[in-house]
Amino acid sequence: MQTKKTTKIDSFRLSGDWGRQSTFLQGQFPELTDDDLEFEEGKEDELIKRIELRLNKKHDEVVNFLKKGQLATF
C-alpha cells in the first residue's frame, strides 16, 4: 500500500503594526499594490496567496519576508 506524502503549511499570524509593515514591504517590493496588501485579522492565508501571485513566489518565501518585515518594524 502506497501512502500519500502531504505537506502541512504552517499557519502564520501577523503581529504588530500592519500599516508600518506593509509600507516596509512596498519599499522592498514596489510591485505590491495597496490591494495586494489589504489585510483583515485572521485572514493571513488570503494575504499570503495574493502576495505569492503578485511576486510569483512560493509560500515559504512569502512567509519568510513577512517575518522579516515584522522584525524590521520593531
Side-chain angles (χ1 to χ4, degrees), residues 1-50:
M1 179 186 259
Q2 200 173 19
T3 59
K4 282 187 175 181
K5 184 178 179 181
T6 59
T7 304
K8 181 180 182 289
I9 296 176
D10 291 331
S11 182
F12 174 74
R13 296 291 165 230
L14 288 170
S15 62
D17 182 349
W18 177 243
R20 289 178 64 191
Q21 292 174 43
S22 64
T23 300
F24 174 80
L25 289 171
Q26 280 183 316
Q28 299 295 309
F29 302 97
E31 58 268 44
L32 290 173
T33 67
D34 289 338
D35 288 339
D36 295 330
L37 295 171
E38 186 176 322
F39 172 65
E40 288 183 47
E41 191 171 333
K43 295 188 177 184
E44 285 86 352
D45 290 337
E46 292 175 18
L47 171 69
I48 291 169
K49 286 177 185 175
R50 285 193 306 272

Side-chain angles (χ1 to χ4, degrees), residues 62-73:
V62 173
V63 169
N64 284 336
F65 67 71
L66 286 173
K67 286 179 181 178
K68 288 179 186 176
Q70 286 180 343
L71 294 174
T73 58

